[in-house]
Amino acid sequence: DQQVKQNSPSLSVQEGRISILNCDYTNSMFDYFLWYKKYPAEGPTFLISISSIKDKNEDGRFTVFLNKSAKHLSLHIVPSQPGDSAVYFCAASAFSSTGFQKLVFGTGTRLLVSP
Amino acid sequence: NAGVTQTPKFQVLKTGQSMTLQCAQDMNHEYMSWYRQDPGMGLRLIHYSVGAGITDQGEVPNGYNVSRSTTEDFPLRLLSAAPSQTSVYFCASSYHGSNTGELFFGEGSRLTVL
């Protein structure tokens, strides 16, 4: 049972346009949502996060939107650049008594930004 | 500025062999964890540790052992390798007090079991 789903395996966008990556989740106990970016042969790197008490968080060209009622979040990249071409993972976490928050990852969306 | 360092980067094993994937972090993070990434599956948690001497199982722990004798190191042991353990393994660290659970990942170790 996949708790975090990224239904689009790939997305192609032209440079300068908006990229929208989507993610759905099923567990209402998740309290933080994160996006990671991964280049080939490298580890994932943190991009942006959002708390479940917010509906939007912005960091430069990257904005994450959260719709709790729909259990849906999206990452907007504006404007898209060729260097943004990578695999993007959505992840969700829930507070635990030990303080360690187990991240549950989606399967990833490969973004290709063409010049 | 090393961050999280994993060795080896590549390894080929025969079925039944054992090996240890090494992981070290220099950020003094309390939490460390191991994930595996398989095609179409995303990253799945194998084992994690909340401090020296304390470890616990994640989503897919079978066939793996861990220990945490120091804050810096968190090795992952494959006891008897199986082809199903062919994967890319990522070690990660995080700090207590991070509300988001943000992880800092190593570059990964690609393991092939024949």
Side-chain angles (χ1 to χ4, degrees), chain B residues 31-47:
Chain B
Y31 303 148
M32 296 186 75
S33 50
W34 278 100
Y35 286 81
R36 59 179 287 175
Q37 184 192 8
D38 301 296
M41 298 290 290
L43 283 82
R44 292 180 293 167
L45 180 64
I46 305 171
H47 285 286

Side-chain angles (χ1 to χ4, degrees), chain A residues 4-63:
Chain A
V4 177
K5 298 179 184 178
Q6 293 176 258
N7 292 318
S8 298
S10 62
L11 175 68
S12 292
V13 171
Q14 281 195 316
E15 182 178 6
R17 299 287 187 101
I18 184 171
S19 296
I20 300 176
L21 295 93
N22 294 303
C23 179
D24 297 295
Y25 63 96
T26 58
N27 189 343
S28 57
M29 298 301 291
F30 289 141
D31 53 9
Y32 268 92
F33 302 89
L34 303 86
W35 285 94
Y36 277 83
K37 178 179 178 179
K38 185 182 181 304
Y39 292 117
E42 295 184 9
T45 55
F46 171 75
L47 193 57
I48 192 170
S49 66
I50 187 167
S51 162
S52 60
I53 63 173
K54 296 186 176 181
D55 54 19
K56 178 182 174 182
N57 188 26
E58 200 169 348
D59 184 2
R61 296 186 298 113
F62 302 92
T63 302

Side-chain angles (χ1 to χ4, degrees), chain B residues 2 5 7 15 19 23 33 41 43 46 54 57 84 99 103-104 107 109:
Chain B
T5 303
T7 56
T15 297
M19 77 155 300
C23 175
S33 50
M41 298 290 290
L43 283 82
I46 305 171
I54 307 170
Q57 296 181 351
S84 61
N99 290 332
L103 299 175
F104 297 80
E107 292 188 338
S109 298

